[in-house]
Amino acid sequence: MPCRHHDIQVFDGLRCCLACGETVFDIVKDAKPELPRSQNAPYEYAHLNYALGPEIRLCVLFPGRLSDQVVVDLVHVYIRDHPPYEALSYAWATQNGDDSLSQTVHCHGGSITVTKTCEAALRRLRLPGRNRYLWVDALCIDQSNVKERNHQVGIMGTIYANASQVIIYLGPGTRATDRMLNYLNGDESDSDKRIVIYSVLNNFLDHRWFDRVWVLQEIALAKLAIMVVGTKTTHWNSEAINKVLNLCRGREPPSALRWLPASQPECDFLSVLHKSRNCTSTDPRDKVYAVLGLANADFQNGFPIDYSLTTEEVYTQIATHLFYVEGDLRILKYASGQGEDAWKLRGMSSWIPQWDVKSGYDPLPLQFHADDLNHLMSTWSRKSPQHHAQTIDSLNWLLDTFLRDLPEEQQPLSSNAWLQSFDMWLDYTKRNRSSIGNDSMPDLESISLSLTQIKSLNFHSVIVKGDTRVHSWEVADAVVPSPKSPCLRVRAHLLDTISRIFGFRSYSSLPHSLNNLPHILERRRLCGPCSKHFVATSICQHTPTIHHTMSEEFHRDMKRVLGDGKTMFETERSVGVAQAQVRVSDEIFALDGADVPFILRRVGKHYVLLGECFLYKALRDALCTCCGCKLEEWPIVTQIIDIW
C-alpha cells in the first residue's frame, strides 16, 4: 500500500515524509480525470484516519468546459500540515427549494449524487488549465456515515479558518444581481444609482444563502471571502457588507450580515444562538451544530456533536450545558414567547429554548441589579407565615419524626413536594394526625416553606433528571417523568400575580391620562403624619413633585419597554409588560441568578415558563405619595419550585 504521507516535516523549505522519505510537492500532482466504469457505480469512500490528527478530504476539481461532465477526485490530508485549498460556501437548495440529490459528480471510477446548486458551483469554479483544490461538504464528508459526520462537522470551524479563502456561490446571475455586484465593486456611484440599487436589494438578499445558518461560521472564520454570482465576482469584506447594511434601512438585515469575514468568534454562545435564531436549516439540529464553531474551544470540547440524537435531545443537552457553563438562568430568557404548543407537541420542558422556532424576541432591559440579586440569593422571606409561628414549637416532635423517616441522600425538594410529602405522611401515620387534632393542625403551606428553608438553606437551582422519588408515599406529580424532559428546580421569590390584561401593545397607544389605568400610581398611599392632614392640593410634601416624578418615571419606563408584540398587564401591586401570551392569575417570580422577572403558570404541582417580563417598581419599597418616605418593603414569598 502506498504511503499516505502521515508524518510530514519541513526541511529547508521542502515538505518531506519521514515514513517513506519522499518530498511532497503537491497533494495529487499527477491525478487525472477518471470517468466511472459504470454510470450506476457509487463512489466508495475510504475511511478517514484520526489516529495522527484531524484528517479531512479535499476535492480535486479537474479542468473542463462548461458543458463537460464534472469530474473530481477525493484525497486525504491532515489539517495540521496546512495543505492549500479553498472552501465552498453555498446553499444546498435552489431558489425554488429543490434540495434533491439529482445531479451526478464523477469521482475516481464512481459517482456521487449532489444537489443542483452544488453541481452548478463546481461547473462555475473549474479553472481552464489546472486542478483546483476545494473543500465541499457534500463531497468531502461521507453523508451516509453518521460517525464521520459527527467528527467532520465538529471541526468545520477549523476547516474554514484554515482555507486560503472561502468562495460564496449564490447561483446563476440575473440582471438584478449583476447590478448589485457592480455597485459593490464600485462600478456604480452611491449618489447616482442609489434609487436603482434599492430596487434590486430584495432580489439580492432573497438568495437562500443569506438565510442559511451554516454560512455564519463559514464567513466569520474565513481569512478572505469571494462572492460569485453568475459571471460576476466581488470581495465579500467589511466594505461590501456595510454597503448592503446601509441599504437595509426599513428592512431587518439577514443574520449573514451580522458577522464580518475574519471576525473573532463570539465567546458568548447564547448570543450566537440568538443572532442565528431566524436563520433556516434543513436539519433543526443544525441550529446548534452549525454555529458551534463560533464558540470558544473549551465550550466546543464540552459539547460534542452527535447526529444520533433527536432534535429534542440536542436542544435539551445544549440548554443543560449552558445552564452549568454560564452559572445563571440567562438561558430562560430565550425560551420567552415560543408558545405553549411548541413545547407541548414535542414533550419538552417549557424552560428549554427551541432554536428552530423563529422568533422576534426582543430582550427586555435588566431590572434586577447586583444588590437586588445578592439580597434575593442570600435571604429568605423575612415574614413567617401567619399560623406557622404559633404552632411550630409545639410540633417539633412531629417534624423530627417525619424528617427521621426520610432517606439520608436526596435531591433538594421543592416546597410543594414538602407539602405533599408531609400531608401524605400524616395520612400514612394516622395516629399522628389524630393526636394533634384538627383545631391545632398547622397550616401545611407554612410548614412546607419552613421545611424548605431548613433543609435547603443554601440551595439556588439545579436541573433534575430522571426519577427523583425519595419515598414511597410521594405523589407522582412531584416526580419528573422522563430523563429526556428534565425539570428546573429553582429557588423562586413570588412577587406578584396578574389581575388584568390591557390591550396596549405600543407606547403610542398608551393614554396620556392615567385615569384609565388603575395601577400603583393611582393608589394614594400615605404615611401616618401625612394621612392626618392630606388635602387634594398637597401642602405638606417635603418633595412637592413626588407624585409627578413617579408619573414621569412610569411613562419613561413604559416608553422603554412597551413595543410591538408586547402586552401590558395589571397586577395586584403594579403593572408590567411581557411578550408572551399571559392570562389572569399567572404569577410573576424573581428567580435566583436571573436579572429579570419571569411569568410562570401553575399547572398541577409544578410551573411552566411563559417568558420574561418587566414589572414596574419590582422589589422597590412602597413610598408615601405625599412626602416620599418609606412605607413598606415589597412583600416576597420565597419557595423552591419545579419548572417543566
Side-chain angles (χ1 to χ4, degrees):
M1 181 177 179
C3 179
R4 293 172 63 189
H5 309 309
H6 291 159
D7 195 0
I8 296 177
Q9 300 293 330
V10 178
F11 299 96
D12 295 330
L14 297 177
R15 301 171 68 246
C16 302
C17 176
L18 296 183
C20 65
E22 181 180 351
T23 300
V24 183
F25 294 100
D26 204 348
I27 302 169
V28 283
K29 182 178 179 180
D30 299 322
K32 302 293 183 183
E34 182 180 349
L35 293 177
R37 293 177 290 276
S38 168
Q39 293 299 324
N40 297 322
Y43 175 76
E44 295 185 6
Y45 282 89
H47 291 296
L48 293 172
N49 182 9
Y50 308 134
L52 299 176
E55 187 175 46
I56 64 172
R57 298 184 187 92
L58 291 182
C59 168
V60 185
L61 180 60
F62 294 116
R65 294 170 297 182
L66 188 63
S67 59
D68 291 342
Q69 293 178 317
V70 178
V71 184
V72 303
D73 193 10
L74 294 177
V75 295
H76 293 209
V77 296
Y78 287 102
I79 295 181
R80 70 179 184 183
D81 293 335
H82 304 292
Y85 66 93
E86 302 163 287
L88 180 63
S89 177
Y90 68 106
W92 278 46
T94 60
Q95 282 299 95
N96 61 10
D98 183 5
D99 61 355
S100 62
L101 303 178
S102 58
Q103 305 300 307
T104 299
V105 172
H106 303 295
C107 179
H108 202 65
S111 61
I112 303 173
T113 55
V114 297
T115 64
K116 290 180 180 179
T117 307
C118 181
E119 196 262 359
L122 294 173
R123 284 183 180 276
R124 170 66 177 82
L125 297 178
R126 283 189 293 199
L127 299 174
R130 61 185 179 89
N131 299 340
R132 191 167 195 169
Y133 297 97
L134 301 171
W135 190 88
V136 185
D137 56 355
L139 297 175
C140 298
I141 299 177
D142 183 358
Q143 300 295 327
S144 64
N145 188 329
V146 174
K147 184 177 180 180
E148 180 176 303
R149 283 178 64 198
N150 293 340
H151 179 272
Q152 294 290 285
V153 171
I155 62 172
M156 276 184 64
T158 303
I159 292 173
Y160 278 89
N162 281 271
S164 59
Q165 70 175 5
V166 173
I167 304 170
I168 303 166
Y169 180 74
L170 297 190
T174 63
R175 292 182 62 183
T177 58
D178 287 350
R179 194 69 182 273
M180 178 58 73
L181 263 66
N182 286 340
Y183 172 69
L184 297 180
N185 286 327
D187 297 335
E188 299 193 23
S189 66
D190 292 350
S191 56
D192 297 336
K193 304 299 180 181
R194 182 173 294 275
I195 296 177
V196 179
I197 294 301
Y198 273 120
S199 66
V200 303
L201 176 67
N202 289 340
N203 183 286
F204 178 67
L205 293 182
D206 283 344
H207 278 82
R208 286 181 175 271
W209 181 86
F210 289 101
D211 189 48
R212 182 173 173 262
V213 68
W214 281 104
V215 309
L216 303 181
Q217 74 167 358
E218 295 170 0
I219 296 305
L221 300 175
K223 297 175 181 176
L224 297 171
I226 301 291
M227 180 172 285
V228 178
V229 193
T231 60
K232 298 283 187 179
T233 63
T234 189
H235 289 281
W236 190 246
N237 50 26
S238 59
E239 181 181 356
I241 292 174
N242 287 330
K243 277 189 173 183
V244 177
L245 286 173
N246 289 335
L247 297 175
C248 287
R249 297 169 185 170
R251 166 180 175 151
E252 181 68 21
S255 297
L257 301 179
R258 293 176 181 264
W259 278 276
L260 301 176
S263 60
Q264 292 295 320
E266 298 263 357
C267 293
D268 182 2
F269 194 62
L270 265 175
S271 297
V272 173
L273 289 170
H274 175 57
K275 287 182 181 180
S276 62
R277 186 159 198 167
N278 290 330
C279 290
T280 298
S281 65
T282 304
D283 189 334
R285 294 170 294 186
D286 288 338
K287 294 301 293 287
V288 174
Y289 292 158
V291 293
L292 199 57
L294 296 175
N296 59 56
D298 290 339
F299 189 94
Q300 294 182 51
N301 294 334
F303 190 77
I305 291 174
D306 187 355
Y307 278 101
S308 67
L309 301 176
T310 65
T311 301
E312 292 75 17
E313 289 171 334
V314 172
Y315 290 171
T316 298
Q317 283 195 2
I318 192 63
T320 303
H321 189 64
L322 284 165
F323 171 80
Y324 287 114
V325 168
E326 299 288 337
D328 57 33
L329 298 181
R330 203 157 51 96
I331 183 72
L332 302 188
K333 294 183 181 182
Y334 300 92
S336 295
Q338 57 190 16
E340 292 184 40
D341 293 338
W343 57 266
K344 280 184 178 178
L345 292 175
R346 279 179 161 169
M348 294 176 63
S349 300
S350 63
W351 64 272
I352 297 175
Q354 300 184 50
W355 299 107
D356 59 335
V357 176
K358 293 188 176 182
S359 170
Y361 164 66
D362 183 19
L364 290 168
L366 305 186
Q367 191 163 2
F368 301 145
H369 299 289
D371 291 341
D372 300 318
L373 294 177
N374 290 334
H375 171 72
L376 288 173
M377 294 179 67
S378 61
T379 62
W380 292 82
S381 176
R382 282 186 253 177
K383 288 188 177 181
S384 300
Q386 182 178 0
H387 302 293
H388 175 57
Q390 302 171 1
T391 58
I392 189 65
D393 293 338
S394 62
L395 291 175
N396 281 338
W397 64 272
L398 185 62
L399 293 176
D400 289 342
T401 305
F402 167 65
L403 294 174
R404 191 167 57 246
D405 288 347
L406 293 179
E408 290 293 333
E409 299 295 333
Q410 57 179 305
Q411 293 266 12
L413 294 181
S414 68
S415 301
N416 184 74
W418 281 116
L419 185 151
Q420 298 294 323
S421 299
F422 186 65
D423 187 34
M424 296 188 76
W425 179 81
L426 288 175
D427 284 340
Y428 182 76
T429 57
K430 294 181 180 179
R431 60 182 180 81
N432 291 327
R433 183 183 288 273
S434 60
S435 65
I436 309 171
N438 292 329
D439 294 338
S440 59
M441 175 59 62
D443 178 16
L444 292 184
E445 184 174 353
S446 301
I447 294 292
S448 69
L449 293 178
S450 295
L451 287 171
T452 304
Q453 181 179 7
I454 294 169
K455 300 297 289 185
S456 306
L457 183 60
N458 297 317
F459 172 78
H460 296 295
S461 59
V462 69
I463 293 176
V464 182
K465 300 180 181 179
D467 190 353
T468 58
R469 188 178 288 105
V470 295
H471 40 76
S472 58
W473 53 80
E474 185 177 356
V475 292
D477 285 345
V479 179
V480 178
S482 169
K484 294 183 179 180
S485 182
C487 84
L488 177 65
R489 185 162 294 167
V490 60
R491 189 162 74 181
H493 314 272
L494 179 60
L495 301 180
D496 217 333
T497 302
I498 296 178
S499 57
R500 180 184 174 190
I501 309 298
F502 293 114
F504 308 133
R505 293 187 175 273
S506 66
Y507 177 75
S508 59
S509 62
L510 184 66
H512 291 289
S513 171
L514 301 179
N515 294 330
N516 296 325
L517 290 177
H519 55 70
I520 192 172
L521 293 181
E522 295 304 308
R523 298 170 186 162
R524 294 277 183 177
R525 306 191 66 181
L526 304 176
C527 63
C530 291
S531 62
K532 294 179 180 180
H533 52 80
F534 179 79
V535 293
T537 304
S538 304
I539 59 177
C540 63
Q541 296 180 137
H542 299 303
T543 309
T545 58
I546 181 67
H547 186 68
H548 297 292
T549 301
M550 293 173 64
S551 177
E552 291 173 359
E553 179 191 55
F554 169 77
H555 276 286
R556 183 176 63 251
D557 285 346
M558 290 302 106
K559 187 175 183 179
R560 186 165 52 114
V561 301
L562 189 58
D564 293 339
K566 297 185 176 70
T567 302
M568 188 175 180
F569 55 82
E570 181 182 7
T571 68
E572 294 177 356
R573 295 187 55 82
S574 184
V575 291
V577 172
Q579 188 168 353
Q581 296 298 316
V582 298
R583 302 176 190 167
V584 172
S585 76
D586 287 340
E587 297 174 333
I588 302 174
F589 284 89
L591 306 178
D592 272 8
D595 50 24
V596 293
F598 286 91
I599 302 177
L600 304 179
R601 181 173 299 161
R602 181 185 287 272
V603 179
K605 307 297 189 298
H606 60 271
Y607 288 86
V608 295
L609 176 73
L610 300 181
E612 65 173 328
C613 72
F614 176 85
L615 183 62
Y616 179 63
K617 298 179 77 69
L619 294 181
R620 292 169 60 180
D621 300 331
L623 303 178
C624 172
T625 54
C626 181
C627 67
C629 70
K630 175 181 173 181
L631 290 180
E632 63 178 4
E633 293 184 343
W634 188 288
I636 298 174
V637 177
T638 301
Q639 55 194 300
I640 293 178
I641 63 173
D642 286 342
I643 304 176
W644 285 9

